[in-house]
Amino acid sequence: MTTTAGTATGTAPRSAELFQRAEARTAHNYKPLPVVVEHAEGAWMTDVDGTRYLDLLAGYSALNFGHGHPGLLRVAHEQLDKLTLTSRAFVHDRFADFCAALGDLCGKELVLPMNTGAEAVETAIKVMRKWGYEVKGVTPGQANIIVASGNFHGRTTTIVGFSDDPDARDGFGPFAPGFTMVPYGDLAAVEAAIDENTVGVLMEPIQGEGGVVLPPDGFWKGLRELTARENVLMAADEIQAGLGRTGRTFASDHEEVVPDLYVLGKALGAGIV
Ligand SMILES: Cc1ncc(COP(=O)(O)O)c(C=O)c1O
């Protein structure tokens, strides 16, 4: 983040007070910058002391459309006044259009909406395992998924169990089995890790959380060819890299790759839901 006025430390009187109060009453699973935002529009945020910031983080992609996009706010307000929630026990009047539009954007037949990115990843894991048992014929209970070092796919217990980041993982075991880690960007390592129980490969086309890490040119395309050849599903976690973040609809598009599963989040909620 950068600032046009004052300092970026967020230590002005109101910021400091509100920051310390929030820190005193939140469990410390995160280390936020000491910036206390009160208002935002487009790419700009203003803190409680009037300092303006250019928001280059964009909510880790949740705000790819900017803060308070007027068109999105208008339809969100209209919807809130009309209908807030139905549960999946009923179908609401926007559901068919939403599923068709998202499916068409991805070039896929089916979509399954979740509430968070981590749930979307969990769902992709379930889909790959179920496919492994019911279609590929993997022995029950033996399905294995290949993941990458340096990954970040969320913070549920299953997901942190296949992270190599001590901050995400330490103290939360025991963890679910069924994951094999290989170095990110190493196609030969993926190939060597595949066996008859491998049902899928779950990776980010660009890693986001541990620094912006790009795989070597050709890796993503090679992974697509390898997984297709080996009868293994390819799940692209595009939660942070996708939906316009890298200049294409999906980061996979840079290598003209269509994975078997897109895992989406962040910008899909337009910074509102
Ligand atoms: C690549 C990636 N996958 C999954 C997630 C988890 O998404 P959520 O925080 O919505 O659970 C994140 C969150 O930053 C992410 O960057």
Side-chain angles (χ1 to χ4, degrees), residues 145-202:
I145 293 171
I146 298 172
V147 297
S149 58
N151 73 67
F152 185 81
H153 297 287
R155 295 193 186 275
T156 61
T157 48
T158 296
I159 292 173
V160 298
F162 58 82
S163 163
D164 58 358
D165 175 0
D167 277 351
R169 181 187 162 89
D170 283 2
F172 301 125
F175 299 121
F179 300 95
T180 302
M181 184 176 290
V182 300
Y184 183 57
D186 186 340
L187 198 59
V190 179
E191 188 162 14
I194 292 176
D195 65 20
E196 71 278 9
N197 293 326
T198 308
V199 296
V201 176
L202 167 68

Side-chain angles (χ1 to χ4, degrees), residues 4-5 17 21 23 50 52 57-58 80 91 140 142 146 150 236 246 262:
T4 53
E17 189 226 320
R21 279 179 50 207
E23 284 290 284
R52 294 188 77 219
L57 193 57
L80 285 174
V91 172
Q142 297 302 310
I146 298 172
T246 67
Y262 287 103

Side-chain angles (χ1 to χ4, degrees), residues 60 115-119 121 152-155 159 204 206-209 237-241 263 265-266:
Y60 297 103
N115 296 293
T116 64
E119 286 171 274
V121 172
F152 185 81
H153 297 287
R155 295 193 186 275
I159 292 173
E204 301 149 87
I206 297 172
Q207 292 187 326
E209 194 77 5
D237 181 343
E238 294 255 8
I239 288 171
Q240 195 171 152
V263 190
K266 308 285 184 199

Side-chain angles (χ1 to χ4, degrees), residues 167-271:
D167 277 351
R169 181 187 162 89
D170 283 2
F172 301 125
F175 299 121
F179 300 95
T180 302
M181 184 176 290
V182 300
Y184 183 57
D186 186 340
L187 198 59
V190 179
E191 188 162 14
I194 292 176
D195 65 20
E196 71 278 9
N197 293 326
T198 308
V199 296
V201 176
L202 167 68
M203 288 185 191
E204 301 149 87
I206 297 172
Q207 292 187 326
E209 194 77 5
V212 177
V213 182
L214 278 81
D217 281 351
F219 170 72
W220 206 238
K221 203 177 189 51
L223 190 62
R224 173 67 288 185
E225 286 162 9
L226 174 67
T227 49
R229 194 168 66 240
E230 295 289 335
N231 194 26
V232 164
L233 295 178
M234 176 182 184
D237 181 343
E238 294 255 8
I239 288 171
Q240 195 171 152
L243 297 177
R245 184 65 165 182
T246 67
R248 301 285 298 268
T249 302
F250 300 110
S252 297
D253 295 343
H254 290 288
E255 294 203 353
E256 311 303 334
V257 163
V258 178
D260 298 302
L261 295 109
Y262 287 103
V263 190
L264 301 177
K266 308 285 184 199
L268 192 58

